[in-house]
Amino acid sequence: MSRTEEITAIEETDERDLVAEPETDAAADADADAVAIETDDSDVVPEAADADEADSAEAALSRESAAPTRRPAWLRLPALLLAAALLLTGAGVWFTLEARSASGNPAADNLALTDVGATADVTSAVTLAMNRIFSYSYDKTDVTEKAAAAVLRGSAKDSYDKLFAQVREKAPQQKLVLTSRVSAIAVQDLRNGHARLLVFLDQSAVRADNNATDNAAAQLSVTAEHNGDGWVVTELEPR
């Protein structure tokens, strides 16, 4: 290579280097700008997040203010107790008025509805009387007659005596034994020493001569009066 060619080669090399350096500086500047932009973006993102959080908090407060306020159960309890007290008070007034109304009703004089002791007393007396006067043995009719004389009065005694006259005549011939038991009894009316009852009897008759047995049921309407010694039967009506 000649001296002239070397000088030319060196000049071309210097020109290429000069052209390359501006490109390198431009690339570096571009990278710096990119870093700056990224840095700016990182600074903006938290601000946006803060704005979003503020919006969410404001929306939550708005929902809470719009939602209806519900009192807890322990705060509502006094109101419930007050309502219950008013209800019971109203019921008490109603029962009081009903009791006063019943006391003014003629049916309230019926002790069968109000006096348990008096009702039990007449029920027991009439049950015992019915069991005795409607039970007899053909060889002991006098025992039944005495029992009837002790508890029967008025029309009840008259009708019974007529019936038992037939018993005295036929019972010994048939060797008849009759057993009667009150199966049910109800006091329909009880006032001023006067009682009206409905009586159901279960009866079993046995003929000793042939051991024949017959069962029957009877229903009676009974009127009883209380005298100084106790209850007596004044009316007997088959039903």
Side-chain angles (χ1 to χ4, degrees), residues 110-129:
N110 184 4
L111 298 181
L113 303 177
T114 59
D115 195 329
V116 176
T119 302
D121 184 44
V122 67
T123 298
S124 176
V126 172
T127 297
L128 184 59

Side-chain angles (χ1 to χ4, degrees), residues 164-239:
F164 205 75
Q166 300 177 16
V167 171
R168 283 196 309 269
E169 178 183 352
K170 297 180 179 179
Q173 298 175 3
Q174 299 176 349
K175 298 185 182 303
L176 190 63
V177 177
L178 178 67
T179 302
S180 298
R181 291 289 179 268
V182 173
S183 59
I185 184 169
V187 181
Q188 297 174 307
D189 191 83
L190 174 60
R191 69 187 77 201
N192 301 324
H194 178 93
R196 203 159 34 83
L197 306 94
L198 187 61
V199 180
F200 295 86
L201 291 171
D202 286 338
Q203 296 180 307
S204 177
V206 180
R207 290 186 58 172
D209 58 350
N210 60 8
N211 292 323
T213 302
D214 188 19
N215 296 316
Q219 182 177 344
L220 302 171
S221 180
V222 178
T223 300
E225 303 285 344
H226 192 276
N227 58 22
D229 298 328
W231 289 95
V232 293
V233 175
T234 57
E235 292 182 20
L236 280 174
E237 297 179 8
R239 300 190 63 172

Side-chain angles (χ1 to χ4, degrees), residues 32-211:
D33 292 339
V35 171
I37 292 172
E38 291 177 359
T39 303
D40 293 340
D41 290 343
S42 63
D43 292 339
V44 172
V45 169
E47 293 178 359
D50 292 340
D52 291 340
E53 290 178 358
D55 293 341
S56 299
E58 183 178 356
L61 290 174
S62 177
R63 287 194 299 271
E64 290 179 358
S65 61
T69 303
R70 183 175 180 83
R71 300 176 66 191
W74 62 272
L75 288 177
R76 298 196 307 272
L77 184 58
L80 295 176
L81 291 177
L82 177 60
L86 292 175
L87 179 62
L88 291 176
T89 301
V93 172
W94 184 84
F95 281 121
T96 300
L97 293 176
E98 284 295 313
R100 291 178 179 176
S101 177
S103 63
N105 191 333
D109 295 333
N110 184 4
L111 298 181
L113 303 177
T114 59
D115 195 329
V116 176
T119 302
D121 184 44
V122 67
T123 298
S124 176
V126 172
T127 297
L128 184 59
M130 297 298 102
N131 289 342
R132 286 179 175 177
I133 68 177
F134 289 108
S135 296
Y136 59 83
S137 177
Y138 68 95
D139 56 348
K140 296 178 181 179
T141 56
D142 58 326
V143 174
T144 302
E145 285 184 283
K146 289 179 181 179
V151 298
L152 297 179
R153 299 290 186 275
S155 63
K157 187 176 187 308
D158 294 339
S159 60
Y160 182 85
D161 287 344
K162 292 178 181 179
L163 175 65
F164 205 75
Q166 300 177 16
V167 171
R168 283 196 309 269
E169 178 183 352
K170 297 180 179 179
Q173 298 175 3
Q174 299 176 349
K175 298 185 182 303
L176 190 63
V177 177
L178 178 67
T179 302
S180 298
R181 291 289 179 268
V182 173
S183 59
I185 184 169
V187 181
Q188 297 174 307
D189 191 83
L190 174 60
R191 69 187 77 201
N192 301 324
H194 178 93
R196 203 159 34 83
L197 306 94
L198 187 61
V199 180
F200 295 86
L201 291 171
D202 286 338
Q203 296 180 307
S204 177
V206 180
R207 290 186 58 172
D209 58 350
N210 60 8
N211 292 323

